[in-house]
């Protein structure tokens, strides 16, 4: 039986996945590195430095570690300027209704994300009040697809993994949840999440009954 639901943040609760895309796009345009949406798909769910390594696959020269650190820093400053403009209107469809219904049923809720910007995003959106626990990129040493962040979130909820459902939009996150021994529900399409049986384009297209129905 599912007693806790663990949500990914970027692309599940809020449209920040698009802001990550625009920030990388701005950085790569300035650096003269090819970047597009299909490369961006590979960045979903993984850490900032791992994302940078993927972005630099298309670079025409080698970057030193110091240059890589500076690029990651620049990307994050661009992203932070976007985050300043976030409002609760940027929450994705169905999020608040789903959280309210889970609370009504006394199902515990957590956020588990590879991002180090989770505290600022949750603050801007007034999300803290909705969650019993948070585990993010500041708490972990191995990002998704490693199961660490979901296992930590479950521990903070006081629940065994088998009683947790993960809601994810990234292939790396789905793998992470499966390795943690948790049930998964995908936010996306059969093309963006191949091999995920239960999915919807957003939380407005699935009821809490459907979410909690685990075989
Ligand atoms: C994940 C995003 O949630 O956070 C990734 O899906 C991103 O695209 C990662 O790279 C790290 O984010 P941040 O905010 O620490 O740069
Ligand atoms: Mg995501």
């Amino acid at each position: 039986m599912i007693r806790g639901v663990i949500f990914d943040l970027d692309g599940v609760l809020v449209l920040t996945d698009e802001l990550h895309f625009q920030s990388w796009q701005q950085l790569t345009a300035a650096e003269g590195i090819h970047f597009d949406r299909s490369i961006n798909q590979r960045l979903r769910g993984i850490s900032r430095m791992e994302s940078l390594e993927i972005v630099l696959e298309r670079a025409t020269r080698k970057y030193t570690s110091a240059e890589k650190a500076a690029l990651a820093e620049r990307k994050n400053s661009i992203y932070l300027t976007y985050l300043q403009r976030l409002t609760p209107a940027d929450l994705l469809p169905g999020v608040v209704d789903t959280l309210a219904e889970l609370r009504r049923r006394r199902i515990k809720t957590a956020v588990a994300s590879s991002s180090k910007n989770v505290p600022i995003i949750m603050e801007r959106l007034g999300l803290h009040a909705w969650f019993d626990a948070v585990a993010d990129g500041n708490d972990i040493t191995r990002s998704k697809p490693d199961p660490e962040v979901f296992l930590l979130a479950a521990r903070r909820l006081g629940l065994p993994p088998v009683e947790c459902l993960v809601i994810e939009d990234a292939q790396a996150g789905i793998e992470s949840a499966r390795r943690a021994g948790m049930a998964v529900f995908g936010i996306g399409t059969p093309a963006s999440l191949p091999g995920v049986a239960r999915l919807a384009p957003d939380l407005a297209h699935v009821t809490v009954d459907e979410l909690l129905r685990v075989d």
Side-chain angles (χ1 to χ4, degrees):
M1 191 170 105
I2 298 299
R3 293 173 57 216
V5 178
I6 305 178
F7 294 81
D8 171 52
L9 180 73
D10 300 315
V12 169
L13 298 177
V14 56
L15 52 55
T16 37
D17 54 324
E18 182 61 25
L19 304 182
H20 275 296
F21 170 68
Q22 289 174 19
S23 308
W24 284 118
Q25 201 175 35
Q26 213 173 306
L27 181 81
T28 50
E31 282 295 305
I33 300 169
H34 172 81
F35 183 68
D36 58 31
R37 284 196 183 267
S38 77
I39 298 172
N40 188 65
Q41 271 299 108
R42 295 171 57 206
L43 312 185
R44 282 175 189 268
I46 65 171
S47 72
R48 196 180 308 161
M49 289 311 287
E50 288 166 318
S51 298
L52 178 67
E53 290 297 339
I54 292 174
V55 166
L56 291 181
E57 286 171 7
R58 300 298 286 266
T60 50
R61 70 171 178 89
K62 289 261 175 260
Y63 286 78
T64 65
S65 319
E67 285 175 320
K68 286 180 186 175
L71 283 178
E73 182 64 39
R74 261 167 71 198
K75 184 271 176 177
N76 198 51
S77 331
I78 299 167
Y79 184 57
L80 286 173
T81 61
Y82 285 123
L83 292 187
Q84 291 311 318
R85 290 179 237 147
L86 269 192
T87 73
D90 297 314
L91 287 170
L92 289 167
V95 166
V96 173
D97 287 347
T98 302
L99 290 168
E101 180 59 16
L102 289 170
R103 173 161 294 177
R104 200 185 65 74
R105 296 183 188 209
R106 302 196 194 292
I107 303 281
K108 290 186 180 175
T109 52
V111 167
S113 165
S114 302
S115 171
K116 296 188 170 176
N117 290 303
V118 168
I120 173 175
I121 295 169
M122 291 188 69
E123 180 70 38
R124 297 260 346 141
L125 299 176
L127 275 178
H128 281 290
W130 286 107
F131 291 95
D132 301 301
V134 177
D136 67 32
N138 303 293
D139 301 319
I140 55 170
T141 52
R142 297 175 304 278
S143 80
K144 301 171 189 176
D146 189 281
E148 184 180 5
V149 76
F150 287 121
L151 292 172
L152 179 62
R155 203 175 325 129
R156 288 182 173 170
L157 287 179
L159 294 175
V162 70
E163 293 182 1
C164 296
L165 168 75
V166 166
I167 306 186
E168 254 295 347
D169 70 319
Q171 197 66 60
I174 296 279
E175 188 184 331
S176 168
R178 285 180 174 152
R179 283 165 64 183
M182 299 177 185
V184 292
F185 189 93
I187 296 297
T189 62
S192 69
L193 291 177
V196 179
R198 302 190 324 125
L199 45 82
D202 58 41
L203 288 168
H205 285 80
V206 58
T207 65
V208 167
D209 276 334
E210 285 163 342
L211 280 178
L212 299 179
R213 198 177 301 140
V214 173
D215 311 320

